[in-house]
Amino acid sequence: MTSLLKKLLAWGCITLWGSLFTACSTIDDNAADCESDFHIEYEVRLKTNLQTELQTELRNRFEDNVANLLQDSLKNIFSEFAHDIDLSFFNTNVHKLTYYVHRQMEAEQAVYTLELPVSEYNHLALANIDKEKEVDMSRGDIPSVYYLRQEKGDTIYGHSTGLFSARKRLNVEFGKSQTFEVLLSMVNCANILVVKTNGVEYKDMQVACRGFADGFYVADSVYTHNEHPVLRDYRVTKPPVEREVFYAVSFPSYDTAEEAQTDTRDDSETARLRSIWQMYVNVTMPDNTITRTTLYIDEPLSAGQIKVVYALLKDDGSVYSPNVEIGTSVEFNWREGLGPNPGI
């Protein structure tokens, strides 16, 4: 086994192999009419702050059980692994789709054979599209229409797996052995809420979040904010005693509060003007009233990253974070449909 192959297998790469082949019968044939096999090596690269966030926000607070629980819950999302792969090649001479292949993988590496006419191509690659049911993909004959769109709805669930994409210019040449390397990078992220309940009596707790992109143009690597969906957080099963743990996986947030202002039209003016995205925590009390707490986060959440918000539950059903950078507003006797706040 070559040192390159050993390295790729250790990385968990997706590898597409071939050997040089030409469809021309003589050297007088037009090279543009020839086809060549080549190698194209796909590496699923995950750059994440998962371990740093778990250490800083949880393990340093002696919340090792919660950190371990979250690490296990997110292992299939923040993973260098492709369930399926979608490959498109657009000939730059005619600006049209020339070749498309979609394969189920369920592995860290796979071997395919690919041949294309000698030309220059814009190549787009996506991983885990089949696995993710909350995101739809639009595709066509030109790169600019390749678009990932979050499922529509006022309140929807977040993603269930990591999504990866890549784009690369390829020049397939005649009579030449070639190898291309393509790095697949994560396009979604996750936010986490951990609430220490401190023995407070309550009937139920529900969490949602808002302020994240609703779509992604693959060719340009640009996120869109056309809709403003509220994402219902997943509740982690079997939480530790006196801990409630929730998470949502989504496209990233805006980079700044100024960009996000038009997307946060509710709650207190001061808090919303400085926040980029928000968490909504509904706590149903023993008398069936609901206390709604809104947490305002002014730190952007980027692709491949996670943000852990650690909070404590008070006797009145409100929650607060020890992090002084996180703003809070509370509404008692909250009922859906009253006021501008989204429901859960």
Side-chain angles (χ1 to χ4, degrees), residues 47-241:
K47 293 183 178 180
T48 182
N49 63 341
L50 176 62
Q51 296 303 326
T52 300
E53 276 288 291
L54 293 181
Q55 181 67 45
T56 302
E57 299 298 329
L58 296 175
R59 297 192 192 279
N60 288 351
R61 291 188 167 98
F62 304 102
E63 297 281 7
D64 289 345
N65 288 339
V66 179
N68 293 339
L69 184 67
L70 278 167
Q71 187 165 324
D72 184 66
S73 299
L74 297 171
K75 66 183 179 182
N76 293 326
I77 297 171
F78 291 86
S79 171
E80 294 177 332
F81 186 91
H83 299 280
D84 54 270
I85 189 165
D86 184 296
L87 308 175
S88 300
F89 297 83
F90 301 86
N91 191 310
T92 59
N93 293 327
V94 295
H95 305 290
K96 292 290 185 180
L97 180 67
T98 297
Y99 186 79
Y100 167 79
V101 61
H102 185 85
R103 293 286 186 270
Q104 296 298 316
M105 287 187 51
E106 300 298 341
E108 293 183 357
Q109 61 88 26
V111 178
Y112 303 122
T113 299
L114 177 69
E115 67 177 36
L116 288 174
V118 171
S119 187
E120 194 170 77
Y121 297 91
N122 286 322
H123 171 45
L124 301 180
L126 287 161
N128 295 342
I129 296 301
D130 279 358
K131 187 75 172 178
E132 181 50 64
K133 302 306 180 185
E134 298 299 327
V135 174
D136 294 328
M137 179 180 178
S138 299
R139 64 167 64 91
D141 288 338
I142 56 177
S144 61
V145 301
Y146 273 56
Y147 181 66
L148 301 181
R149 180 179 63 80
Q150 175 78 48
E151 283 285 341
K152 290 188 176 182
D154 293 334
T155 304
I156 56 181
Y157 278 106
H159 310 165
S160 59
T161 191
L163 298 174
F164 295 83
S165 77
R167 57 217 51 82
K168 192 176 182 70
R169 191 90 160 194
L170 306 178
N171 187 17
V172 179
E173 299 181 39
F174 170 63
K176 186 176 181 180
S177 181
Q178 295 175 274
T179 299
F180 301 104
E181 294 183 357
V182 179
L183 300 180
L184 288 158
S185 300
M186 195 171 186
V187 302
N188 46 3
C189 57
N191 68 83
I192 298 164
L193 177 66
V194 177
V195 181
K196 186 175 181 179
T197 55
N198 295 318
V200 174
E201 292 187 15
Y202 64 99
K203 285 188 173 181
D204 191 25
M205 185 180 296
Q206 294 182 324
V207 177
C209 56
R210 191 177 67 171
F212 303 103
D214 60 3
F216 177 71
Y217 281 106
V218 180
D220 298 325
S221 192
V222 171
Y223 294 94
T224 61
H225 296 261
N226 299 318
E227 306 287 337
H228 310 297
V230 177
L231 301 180
R232 190 191 304 270
D233 281 44
Y234 290 102
R235 194 180 209 146
V236 177
T237 57
K238 299 179 181 178
V241 175

Side-chain angles (χ1 to χ4, degrees), residues 9-56:
L9 290 174
W11 280 343
C13 299
I14 308 161
T15 310
L16 189 61
W17 291 97
S19 59
L20 180 67
F21 169 84
T22 62
C24 304
S25 58
T26 71
I27 59 174
D28 296 325
D29 289 325
N30 186 346
D33 296 328
C34 301
E35 290 186 342
S36 287
D37 282 3
F38 54 91
H39 330 146
I40 183 164
E41 301 163 358
Y42 294 90
E43 178 189 345
V44 181
R45 175 169 292 182
L46 177 63
K47 293 183 178 180
T48 182
N49 63 341
L50 176 62
Q51 296 303 326
T52 300
E53 276 288 291
L54 293 181
Q55 181 67 45
T56 302

Side-chain angles (χ1 to χ4, degrees), residues 293-313:
T293 302
T294 304
L295 301 172
Y296 302 90
I297 294 87
D298 61 359
E299 177 184 342
L301 191 50
S302 304
Q305 304 294 288
I306 74 163
K307 174 62 179 177
V308 177
V309 175
Y310 187 79
L312 297 95
L313 181 64

